[in-house]
Structure formats: C-alpha cells, structure tokens
Amino acid sequence: MKIKRVGAVIVVAGVAVAMAGCSNGPSTGGSGDGDAIVVDMWAGSADDTAALKAQIDVVKKQNPDLKVELRTAPWGDFFTKLTTNMASGNMACVTGMNSGMLASYTDGFVKLTDADLKAAGLAESDFAAGATDILKNKGDLYGLPFDVSTMVTYYNEDQLNAAGAELPKVGWTFDDFEATAKKATTGGKFGFGIGMGDFQWQALPIAKSGTQPVSADGELQLTDPGFAAAAGWYADLVTKQKVAAPVASASDGGWGENQFTGENAAMAVDGTWNAVGYLKNDAGFKAGLAPLPSGDKGDLSLVLGSGFGIAKTCKNKDVALKVLGSLLSKDSQDYIASSGRSYPARAESQPLYFESLDPAYREQVKTVFEAAFKNVEGQHVSDNWAKVGTFVQPELVSVYNGQESMKSVLESAQQQFGK
C-alpha cells in the first residue's frame, strides 16, 4: 500500500481506528461464534479504505469459512499504535508493513519459511524480480509484498522545452542530468527540486555511487567514500551548481516535489507511486518521467513498497497464512492493478496496471517502469535506521543553505547511530 500524495505532500488524514490483537480462539466462520482474523493496514483516505475492503472481499470469497476483520489507521497513527501493540503482545495476526519501517518491527513478526509460503499458496517466484526483498531484513523474510515502487525522475516538458534543454530519457547519464538542470535554471526558476525525504534525497547519491548507505548485513555506512562523495555532489546542486533552490525550513518535507508541482523546478525525484498524479497534475503542464540517470557505477535504484506479515503472537498462524495468501493472490493483485491504484508486486498482475492508464501516457509509463525496475535491489536498513532519518532530515536545511556540509552531517550520524 503506497502513501498517497496530493500536490506531493503526504496525506495522513483519516479516522484512526484502535488496532486490535490477534484472535485467541479458532476462526470458525462468520456466524459470530468464533474470533476473527484481524488484518491491520494503514489508510489515508476513504478511497484507500474502500480498496482494502475490496481485497478483504477477495479473502472472504476464497475462504468462506473464515471470519476476517479489517482495521485501519492513518500512516502516522498506524505505526504509533503498532509500537504499542507489539510491546504488549497485541499485534493483529496479519499486519501491514513498509520496507523502510521494517527494521524497527522485526521482533513482532514471524520469519516466514518456504513451508509457510506453501501453506499460504504462495512462492517467491510469484513476485516480480527483487520484490520479496522489500520485507526482508538481513536475509530473513518477514512478510510478502503488496506493491512495488522505485524512484524515478519527473520533469516539466513545457519548462524544459522553453529553456531549450534536453528532455530526460531512458539511458540518460548524470552528465545529461547536470546539463539539463543548468539549462533549465533560468528566469527565476530552477532546473531541479532538491529532496528532503529519505528516499528523495538518497536516490541520486545511491544511483551515482552504486552504493547504499547501509550494507547488506545491516551495518550503517553513511561515510562510505563513494556514497559520501555522491551525497556531497547532491548538496552541491544547491550550494555550488545553484540549479536547485535551498529549502526554507525543516517542515518542508516535500520541498522538491512541491517545487516541481508549483512549476518552480523543472525536475524532481520521487516514487513511481506518484506517476499518475504528476502526469495528470492540476497545474496543467505537460509532464514526463524517466529512470534515474546512470553514471560510472551504473544506475542502482531501490525496490520499495509495502506488504503483510504474520504476528509472532498470532495463535492461529495457519489460518492467518490462508488470509495472507488470499490478500496476495492473483485475484487480489489483479484488482489493485486494474484499478490503477498501485503497481502490484505479483508479476503476472503487473500488465493490468498499464492497461488501466490513460492511453495518452500509457506507453511512456510502461517503458520507463520496465527500465527503472531492471536494476533494483532491496533497501538495506540498520537496526536504528528510523533514527538516522529523524536526525539527518532537519540537518539538510543547513546543508542546502551552506551552513553545514553534507560530509559533517553524515559523519555525525555515523558516529551516533553506527556500531
């Protein structure tokens, strides 16, 4: 389940529902004489909730003897309550999880085995290449993906054409990126909207260096020479190359994306989950998208997304696995694909997503998605990765304003949160 954005700002409006725990007795059907298997997932709008209910309907249709209950909360509230529920042993049997948040919650989830997947009627081979890495931590599988996403470059075609700049395209390089950004920085507008969110600011440094800020075994490596140099280059887009505007305040979490939708920046980096929103933007400019540029180290990008896992405290694991299997079945994944709401994790359902799109941009999205997902790997996170982001994000304002160096911020974070 992706985070919905409107005008590139995360929307967390919605009604928080208290999250209940896993059932204590057998699920005996919908007659009221047994406890339900509870499915918890975040939902930021009535549309999100309706989409989840439609998937629960698939579960009920495939398992008419089971009693299943959906409970939702907005993004922020969901994880606050999940922390409480995990500490009290009160997690829902089937609980939603996001790739970037997993490291903080592994203690609450069962490590899924091949036997568990078989019991759920699933296999890792059902999912797109790299997709099951989304809910893996240090090699262990804690859940299976619901949708997949990666970071791409969005651009304002009208603005770039007016500036005489080359349009981003599949196979473009970092030299091309710099040339386009410089050409489009004119008339009080900038070529690029600098990122503040974790994925938004890290995407280009990861692609440029071919290195993640965390190693495959979960060790923080913010000061890795390659990544640190690429992160410094990224900050220089504001301070030295001056192709991006400095950020006004730490509260501007969607700064770069808002600069783009506000037509103050010709390009921005954001997730594939926002492709339709940008292409159908309210401002009315002609938008396009391209994979991240490639450099000397290739074009590495992260595969991101969300999915579901089984709580350790669930007393009906076998039944919960059936629910998990139905939530990620072809019928359920076909639904989210054909609705155009998410790019599904299940490989056989992905073509339906493109069929759901407006013909005006369908082929471009398909071409770019296929290229962007070619060289992806799962996000590596350290045990306290969430704390790293909380520390670094507000410091970026000082970095982009030239009051602090990216090098010193990364060194400080490494010293505080590295082992």
PDB file of all heavy atoms in Angstrom, residues 15-52:
ATOM      1  N   VAL A  15      -9.603   8.543   9.712  1.00  0.00           N
ATOM      2  CA  VAL A  15     -10.102   8.243  11.038  1.00  0.00           C
ATOM      3  C   VAL A  15      -9.288   7.118  11.632  1.00  0.00           C
ATOM      4  O   VAL A  15      -9.201   6.036  11.070  1.00  0.00           O
ATOM      5  CB  VAL A  15     -11.583   7.834  10.984  1.00  0.00           C
ATOM      6  CG1 VAL A  15     -12.094   7.495  12.364  1.00  0.00           C
ATOM      7  CG2 VAL A  15     -12.411   8.945  10.358  1.00  0.00           C
ATOM      8  N   ALA A  16      -8.661   7.358  12.744  1.00  0.00           N
ATOM      9  CA  ALA A  16      -7.863   6.324  13.403  1.00  0.00           C
ATOM     10  C   ALA A  16      -8.792   5.338  14.086  1.00  0.00           C
ATOM     11  O   ALA A  16      -9.715   5.710  14.785  1.00  0.00           O
ATOM     12  CB  ALA A  16      -6.942   6.965  14.434  1.00  0.00           C
ATOM     13  N   VAL A  17      -8.520   4.071  13.836  1.00  0.00           N
ATOM     14  CA  VAL A  17      -9.294   3.013  14.469  1.00  0.00           C
ATOM     15  C   VAL A  17      -8.371   2.243  15.390  1.00  0.00           C
ATOM     16  O   VAL A  17      -7.281   1.869  14.990  1.00  0.00           O
ATOM     17  CB  VAL A  17      -9.879   2.057  13.410  1.00  0.00           C
ATOM     18  CG1 VAL A  17     -10.693   0.967  14.068  1.00  0.00           C
ATOM     19  CG2 VAL A  17     -10.728   2.833  12.418  1.00  0.00           C
ATOM     20  N   ALA A  18      -8.779   2.032  16.620  1.00  0.00           N
ATOM     21  CA  ALA A  18      -7.926   1.300  17.555  1.00  0.00           C
ATOM     22  C   ALA A  18      -7.611  -0.069  16.997  1.00  0.00           C
ATOM     23  O   ALA A  18      -8.497  -0.781  16.550  1.00  0.00           O
ATOM     24  CB  ALA A  18      -8.633   1.160  18.901  1.00  0.00           C
ATOM     25  N   MET A  19      -6.336  -0.427  17.026  1.00  0.00           N
ATOM     26  CA  MET A  19      -5.924  -1.700  16.454  1.00  0.00           C
ATOM     27  C   MET A  19      -6.049  -2.807  17.479  1.00  0.00           C
ATOM     28  O   MET A  19      -5.547  -2.702  18.586  1.00  0.00           O
ATOM     29  CB  MET A  19      -4.483  -1.597  15.958  1.00  0.00           C
ATOM     30  CG  MET A  19      -4.364  -0.684  14.758  1.00  0.00           C
ATOM     31  SD  MET A  19      -2.858  -0.957  13.851  1.00  0.00           S
ATOM     32  CE  MET A  19      -1.713  -0.147  14.938  1.00  0.00           C
ATOM     33  N   ALA A  20      -6.726  -3.857  17.071  1.00  0.00           N
ATOM     34  CA  ALA A  20      -6.946  -4.977  17.974  1.00  0.00           C
ATOM     35  C   ALA A  20      -5.932  -6.064  17.729  1.00  0.00           C
ATOM     36  O   ALA A  20      -5.258  -6.093  16.722  1.00  0.00           O
ATOM     37  CB  ALA A  20      -8.342  -5.545  17.778  1.00  0.00           C
ATOM     38  N   GLY A  21      -5.837  -6.978  18.649  1.00  0.00           N
ATOM     39  CA  GLY A  21      -4.853  -8.040  18.538  1.00  0.00           C
ATOM     40  C   GLY A  21      -5.378  -9.225  17.770  1.00  0.00           C
ATOM     41  O   GLY A  21      -6.484  -9.252  17.260  1.00  0.00           O
ATOM     42  N   CYS A  22      -4.535 -10.195  17.708  1.00  0.00           N
ATOM     43  CA  CYS A  22      -4.805 -11.435  17.000  1.00  0.00           C
ATOM     44  C   CYS A  22      -5.813 -12.265  17.784  1.00  0.00           C
ATOM     45  O   CYS A  22      -5.944 -12.132  18.987  1.00  0.00           O
ATOM     46  CB  CYS A  22      -3.458 -12.115  16.866  1.00  0.00           C
ATOM     47  SG  CYS A  22      -3.436 -13.775  16.394  1.00  0.00           S
ATOM     48  N   SER A  23      -6.520 -13.104  17.070  1.00  0.00           N
ATOM     49  CA  SER A  23      -7.552 -13.894  17.733  1.00  0.00           C
ATOM     50  C   SER A  23      -6.990 -14.918  18.700  1.00  0.00           C
ATOM     51  O   SER A  23      -5.886 -15.401  18.539  1.00  0.00           O
ATOM     52  CB  SER A  23      -8.376 -14.600  16.657  1.00  0.00           C
ATOM     53  OG  SER A  23      -7.542 -15.420  15.875  1.00  0.00           O
ATOM     54  N   ASN A  24      -7.729 -15.224  19.734  1.00  0.00           N
ATOM     55  CA  ASN A  24      -7.306 -16.188  20.744  1.00  0.00           C
ATOM     56  C   ASN A  24      -7.916 -17.564  20.522  1.00  0.00           C
ATOM     57  O   ASN A  24      -7.473 -18.547  21.094  1.00  0.00           O
ATOM     58  CB  ASN A  24      -7.705 -15.686  22.140  1.00  0.00           C
ATOM     59  CG  ASN A  24      -6.948 -14.448  22.527  1.00  0.00           C
ATOM     60  OD1 ASN A  24      -5.755 -14.365  22.303  1.00  0.00           O
ATOM     61  ND2 ASN A  24      -7.642 -13.476  23.105  1.00  0.00           N
ATOM     62  N   GLY A  25      -8.967 -17.645  19.748  1.00  0.00           N
ATOM     63  CA  GLY A  25      -9.621 -18.920  19.503  1.00  0.00           C
ATOM     64  C   GLY A  25      -9.655 -19.212  18.026  1.00  0.00           C
ATOM     65  O   GLY A  25      -9.188 -18.438  17.220  1.00  0.00           O
ATOM     66  N   PRO A  26     -10.212 -20.348  17.644  1.00  0.00           N
ATOM     67  CA  PRO A  26     -10.231 -20.716  16.232  1.00  0.00           C
ATOM     68  C   PRO A  26     -11.194 -19.851  15.436  1.00  0.00           C
ATOM     69  O   PRO A  26     -12.216 -19.416  15.932  1.00  0.00           O
ATOM     70  CB  PRO A  26     -10.699 -22.168  16.263  1.00  0.00           C
ATOM     71  CG  PRO A  26     -11.499 -22.281  17.521  1.00  0.00           C
ATOM     72  CD  PRO A  26     -10.830 -21.380  18.501  1.00  0.00           C
ATOM     73  N   SER A  27     -10.804 -19.578  14.183  1.00  0.00           N
ATOM     74  CA  SER A  27     -11.716 -18.876  13.290  1.00  0.00           C
ATOM     75  C   SER A  27     -12.685 -19.913  12.740  1.00  0.00           C
ATOM     76  O   SER A  27     -12.288 -20.822  12.024  1.00  0.00           O
ATOM     77  CB  SER A  27     -10.944 -18.211  12.154  1.00  0.00           C
ATOM     78  OG  SER A  27     -10.249 -17.097  12.613  1.00  0.00           O
ATOM     79  N   THR A  28     -13.947 -19.763  13.040  1.00  0.00           N
ATOM     80  CA  THR A  28     -14.922 -20.788  12.667  1.00  0.00           C
ATOM     81  C   THR A  28     -15.948 -20.287  11.669  1.00  0.00           C
ATOM     82  O   THR A  28     -16.986 -20.895  11.490  1.00  0.00           O
ATOM     83  CB  THR A  28     -15.648 -21.280  13.924  1.00  0.00           C
ATOM     84  OG1 THR A  28     -16.232 -20.163  14.585  1.00  0.00           O
ATOM     85  CG2 THR A  28     -14.688 -21.965  14.873  1.00  0.00           C
ATOM     86  N   GLY A  29     -15.635 -19.160  11.043  1.00  0.00           N
ATOM     87  CA  GLY A  29     -16.585 -18.674  10.056  1.00  0.00           C
ATOM     88  C   GLY A  29     -17.224 -17.386  10.499  1.00  0.00           C
ATOM     89  O   GLY A  29     -16.871 -16.800  11.502  1.00  0.00           O
ATOM     90  N   GLY A  30     -18.189 -16.907   9.749  1.00  0.00           N
ATOM     91  CA  GLY A  30     -18.774 -15.607  10.006  1.00  0.00           C
ATOM     92  C   GLY A  30     -20.034 -15.644  10.817  1.00  0.00           C
ATOM     93  O   GLY A  30     -20.817 -14.714  10.796  1.00  0.00           O
ATOM     94  N   SER A  31     -20.291 -16.711  11.539  1.00  0.00           N
ATOM     95  CA  SER A  31     -21.562 -16.840  12.252  1.00  0.00           C
ATOM     96  C   SER A  31     -21.569 -16.165  13.609  1.00  0.00           C
ATOM     97  O   SER A  31     -22.583 -16.126  14.279  1.00  0.00           O
ATOM     98  CB  SER A  31     -21.869 -18.328  12.451  1.00  0.00           C
ATOM     99  OG  SER A  31     -20.864 -18.953  13.229  1.00  0.00           O
ATOM    100  N   GLY A  32     -20.386 -15.614  14.003  1.00  0.00           N
ATOM    101  CA  GLY A  32     -20.325 -14.924  15.282  1.00  0.00           C
ATOM    102  C   GLY A  32     -19.918 -15.816  16.425  1.00  0.00           C
ATOM    103  O   GLY A  32     -19.812 -15.369  17.557  1.00  0.00           O
ATOM    104  N   ASP A  33     -19.655 -17.088  16.173  1.00  0.00           N
ATOM    105  CA  ASP A  33     -19.296 -17.993  17.263  1.00  0.00           C
ATOM    106  C   ASP A  33     -17.784 -18.236  17.345  1.00  0.00           C
ATOM    107  O   ASP A  33     -17.323 -19.168  17.967  1.00  0.00           O
ATOM    108  CB  ASP A  33     -20.018 -19.333  17.094  1.00  0.00           C
ATOM    109  CG  ASP A  33     -19.707 -19.989  15.760  1.00  0.00           C
ATOM    110  OD1 ASP A  33     -19.127 -19.322  14.882  1.00  0.00           O
ATOM    111  OD2 ASP A  33     -20.079 -21.159  15.603  1.00  0.00           O
ATOM    112  N   GLY A  34     -17.012 -17.397  16.693  1.00  0.00           N
ATOM    113  CA  GLY A  34     -15.560 -17.506  16.764  1.00  0.00           C
ATOM    114  C   GLY A  34     -14.928 -16.162  16.550  1.00  0.00           C
ATOM    115  O   GLY A  34     -15.556 -15.221  16.053  1.00  0.00           O
ATOM    116  N   ASP A  35     -13.659 -16.027  16.961  1.00  0.00           N
ATOM    117  CA  ASP A  35     -12.950 -14.769  16.787  1.00  0.00           C
ATOM    118  C   ASP A  35     -12.476 -14.609  15.354  1.00  0.00           C
ATOM    119  O   ASP A  35     -12.180 -15.577  14.663  1.00  0.00           O
ATOM    120  CB  ASP A  35     -11.748 -14.700  17.730  1.00  0.00           C
ATOM    121  CG  ASP A  35     -12.172 -14.627  19.180  1.00  0.00           C
ATOM    122  OD1 ASP A  35     -13.278 -14.123  19.453  1.00  0.00           O
ATOM    123  OD2 ASP A  35     -11.399 -15.078  20.019  1.00  0.00           O
ATOM    124  N   ALA A  36     -12.350 -13.340  14.927  1.00  0.00           N
ATOM    125  CA  ALA A  36     -11.914 -13.050  13.568  1.00  0.00           C
ATOM    126  C   ALA A  36     -10.399 -12.986  13.483  1.00  0.00           C
ATOM    127  O   ALA A  36      -9.716 -12.675  14.460  1.00  0.00           O
ATOM    128  CB  ALA A  36     -12.509 -11.732  13.102  1.00  0.00           C
ATOM    129  N   ILE A  37      -9.886 -13.273  12.293  1.00  0.00           N
ATOM    130  CA  ILE A  37      -8.503 -12.949  11.983  1.00  0.00           C
ATOM    131  C   ILE A  37      -8.505 -11.474  11.606  1.00  0.00           C
ATOM    132  O   ILE A  37      -9.215 -11.056  10.688  1.00  0.00           O
ATOM    133  CB  ILE A  37      -7.979 -13.797  10.804  1.00  0.00           C
ATOM    134  CG1 ILE A  37      -7.763 -15.239  11.247  1.00  0.00           C
ATOM    135  CG2 ILE A  37      -6.668 -13.221  10.267  1.00  0.00           C
ATOM    136  CD1 ILE A  37      -6.604 -15.447  12.213  1.00  0.00           C
ATOM    137  N   VAL A  38      -7.734 -10.689  12.337  1.00  0.00           N
ATOM    138  CA  VAL A  38      -7.701  -9.245  12.107  1.00  0.00           C
ATOM    139  C   VAL A  38      -6.583  -8.907  11.124  1.00  0.00           C
ATOM    140  O   VAL A  38      -5.461  -9.403  11.242  1.00  0.00           O
ATOM    141  CB  VAL A  38      -7.499  -8.476  13.421  1.00  0.00           C
ATOM    142  CG1 VAL A  38      -7.381  -6.979  13.162  1.00  0.00           C
ATOM    143  CG2 VAL A  38      -8.653  -8.756  14.383  1.00  0.00           C
ATOM    144  N   VAL A  39      -6.905  -8.070  10.157  1.00  0.00           N
ATOM    145  CA  VAL A  39      -5.934  -7.539   9.205  1.00  0.00           C
ATOM    146  C   VAL A  39      -5.791  -6.049   9.468  1.00  0.00           C
ATOM    147  O   VAL A  39      -6.779  -5.306   9.411  1.00  0.00           O
ATOM    148  CB  VAL A  39      -6.384  -7.766   7.747  1.00  0.00           C
ATOM    149  CG1 VAL A  39      -5.382  -7.138   6.774  1.00  0.00           C
ATOM    150  CG2 VAL A  39      -6.554  -9.254   7.461  1.00  0.00           C
ATOM    151  N   ASP A  40      -4.583  -5.611   9.806  1.00  0.00           N
ATOM    152  CA  ASP A  40      -4.323  -4.192  10.060  1.00  0.00           C
ATOM    153  C   ASP A  40      -3.494  -3.605   8.933  1.00  0.00           C
ATOM    154  O   ASP A  40      -2.461  -4.168   8.548  1.00  0.00           O
ATOM    155  CB  ASP A  40      -3.533  -4.022  11.362  1.00  0.00           C
ATOM    156  CG  ASP A  40      -4.434  -3.825  12.552  1.00  0.00           C
ATOM    157  OD1 ASP A  40      -5.564  -3.364  12.379  1.00  0.00           O
ATOM    158  OD2 ASP A  40      -3.984  -4.128  13.674  1.00  0.00           O
ATOM    159  N   MET A  41      -3.938  -2.477   8.403  1.00  0.00           N
ATOM    160  CA  MET A  41      -3.185  -1.766   7.373  1.00  0.00           C
ATOM    161  C   MET A  41      -3.518  -0.287   7.474  1.00  0.00           C
ATOM    162  O   MET A  41      -4.604   0.075   7.911  1.00  0.00           O
ATOM    163  CB  MET A  41      -3.534  -2.312   5.979  1.00  0.00           C
ATOM    164  CG  MET A  41      -2.879  -1.591   4.812  1.00  0.00           C
ATOM    165  SD  MET A  41      -1.068  -1.515   4.880  1.00  0.00           S
ATOM    166  CE  MET A  41      -0.632  -3.048   4.057  1.00  0.00           C
ATOM    167  N   TRP A  42      -2.579   0.559   7.073  1.00  0.00           N
ATOM    168  CA  TRP A  42      -2.847   1.990   7.103  1.00  0.00           C
ATOM    169  C   TRP A  42      -3.713   2.364   5.901  1.00  0.00           C
ATOM    170  O   TRP A  42      -3.699   1.728   4.857  1.00  0.00           O
ATOM    171  CB  TRP A  42      -1.551   2.794   7.100  1.00  0.00           C
ATOM    172  CG  TRP A  42      -0.636   2.482   5.944  1.00  0.00           C
ATOM    173  CD1 TRP A  42      -0.621   3.056   4.709  1.00  0.00           C
ATOM    174  CD2 TRP A  42       0.409   1.498   5.945  1.00  0.00           C
ATOM    175  NE1 TRP A  42       0.360   2.491   3.935  1.00  0.00           N
ATOM    176  CE2 TRP A  42       1.012   1.540   4.662  1.00  0.00           C
ATOM    177  CE3 TRP A  42       0.900   0.598   6.889  1.00  0.00           C
ATOM    178  CZ2 TRP A  42       2.074   0.713   4.310  1.00  0.00           C
ATOM    179  CZ3 TRP A  42       1.962  -0.226   6.538  1.00  0.00           C
ATOM    180  CH2 TRP A  42       2.540  -0.162   5.265  1.00  0.00           C
ATOM    181  N   ALA A  43      -4.473   3.459   6.082  1.00  0.00           N
ATOM    182  CA  ALA A  43      -5.303   4.000   5.002  1.00  0.00           C
ATOM    183  C   ALA A  43      -5.424   5.499   5.235  1.00  0.00           C
ATOM    184  O   ALA A  43      -5.797   5.932   6.321  1.00  0.00           O
ATOM    185  CB  ALA A  43      -6.674   3.340   4.986  1.00  0.00           C
ATOM    186  N   GLY A  44      -5.111   6.277   4.209  1.00  0.00           N
ATOM    187  CA  GLY A  44      -5.118   7.725   4.360  1.00  0.00           C
ATOM    188  C   GLY A  44      -6.370   8.399   3.862  1.00  0.00           C
ATOM    189  O   GLY A  44      -6.496   9.618   3.950  1.00  0.00           O
ATOM    190  N   SER A  45      -7.297   7.638   3.300  1.00  0.00           N
ATOM    191  CA  SER A  45      -8.499   8.246   2.745  1.00  0.00           C
ATOM    192  C   SER A  45      -9.604   7.202   2.663  1.00  0.00           C
ATOM    193  O   SER A  45      -9.363   6.002   2.824  1.00  0.00           O
ATOM    194  CB  SER A  45      -8.218   8.786   1.336  1.00  0.00           C
ATOM    195  OG  SER A  45      -7.960   7.726   0.438  1.00  0.00           O
ATOM    196  N   ALA A  46     -10.809   7.685   2.371  1.00  0.00           N
ATOM    197  CA  ALA A  46     -11.940   6.776   2.201  1.00  0.00           C
ATOM    198  C   ALA A  46     -11.700   5.849   1.010  1.00  0.00           C
ATOM    199  O   ALA A  46     -12.091   4.675   1.028  1.00  0.00           O
ATOM    200  CB  ALA A  46     -13.232   7.575   2.005  1.00  0.00           C
ATOM    201  N   ASP A  47     -11.037   6.362  -0.022  1.00  0.00           N
ATOM    202  CA  ASP A  47     -10.743   5.538  -1.194  1.00  0.00           C
ATOM    203  C   ASP A  47      -9.772   4.416  -0.836  1.00  0.00           C
ATOM    204  O   ASP A  47      -9.912   3.282  -1.316  1.00  0.00           O
ATOM    205  CB  ASP A  47     -10.149   6.390  -2.316  1.00  0.00           C
ATOM    206  CG  ASP A  47     -11.188   7.261  -3.008  1.00  0.00           C
ATOM    207  OD1 ASP A  47     -12.392   7.007  -2.817  1.00  0.00           O
ATOM    208  OD2 ASP A  47     -10.786   8.194  -3.732  1.00  0.00           O
ATOM    209  N   ASP A  48      -8.773   4.729  -0.006  1.00  0.00           N
ATOM    210  CA  ASP A  48      -7.821   3.706   0.436  1.00  0.00           C
ATOM    211  C   ASP A  48      -8.552   2.599   1.194  1.00  0.00           C
ATOM    212  O   ASP A  48      -8.310   1.405   0.983  1.00  0.00           O
ATOM    213  CB  ASP A  48      -6.754   4.308   1.355  1.00  0.00           C
ATOM    214  CG  ASP A  48      -5.734   5.144   0.600  1.00  0.00           C
ATOM    215  OD1 ASP A  48      -5.682   5.036  -0.638  1.00  0.00           O
ATOM    216  OD2 ASP A  48      -4.996   5.892   1.248  1.00  0.00           O
ATOM    217  N   THR A  49      -9.430   2.999   2.088  1.00  0.00           N
ATOM    218  CA  THR A  49     -10.178   2.027   2.889  1.00  0.00           C
ATOM    219  C   THR A  49     -11.076   1.172   2.008  1.00  0.00           C
ATOM    220  O   THR A  49     -11.174  -0.045   2.187  1.00  0.00           O
ATOM    221  CB  THR A  49     -11.019   2.749   3.957  1.00  0.00           C
ATOM    222  OG1 THR A  49     -10.155   3.536   4.791  1.00  0.00           O
ATOM    223  CG2 THR A  49     -11.763   1.760   4.830  1.00  0.00           C
ATOM    224  N   ALA A  50     -11.720   1.797   1.038  1.00  0.00           N
ATOM    225  CA  ALA A  50     -12.599   1.053   0.133  1.00  0.00           C
ATOM    226  C   ALA A  50     -11.804   0.024  -0.672  1.00  0.00           C
ATOM    227  O   ALA A  50     -12.270  -1.100  -0.896  1.00  0.00           O
ATOM    228  CB  ALA A  50     -13.317   2.019  -0.810  1.00  0.00           C
ATOM    229  N   ALA A  51     -10.579   0.394  -1.084  1.00  0.00           N
ATOM    230  CA  ALA A  51      -9.739  -0.536  -1.846  1.00  0.00           C
ATOM    231  C   ALA A  51      -9.322  -1.723  -0.986  1.00  0.00           C
ATOM    232  O   ALA A  51      -9.293  -2.869  -1.448  1.00  0.00           O
ATOM    233  CB  ALA A  51      -8.512   0.192  -2.386  1.00  0.00           C
ATOM    234  N   LEU A  52      -9.016  -1.452   0.271  1.00  0.00           N
ATOM    235  CA  LEU A  52      -8.663  -2.543   1.180  1.00  0.00           C
ATOM    236  C   LEU A  52      -9.856  -3.464   1.423  1.00  0.00           C
ATOM    237  O   LEU A  52      -9.715  -4.688   1.468  1.00  0.00           O
ATOM    238  CB  LEU A  52      -8.153  -1.968   2.510  1.00  0.00           C
ATOM    239  CG  LEU A  52      -6.744  -1.392   2.499  1.00  0.00           C
ATOM    240  CD1 LEU A  52      -6.481  -0.608   3.783  1.00  0.00           C
ATOM    241  CD2 LEU A  52      -5.706  -2.496   2.329  1.00  0.00           C
TER     242      LEU A  52
END
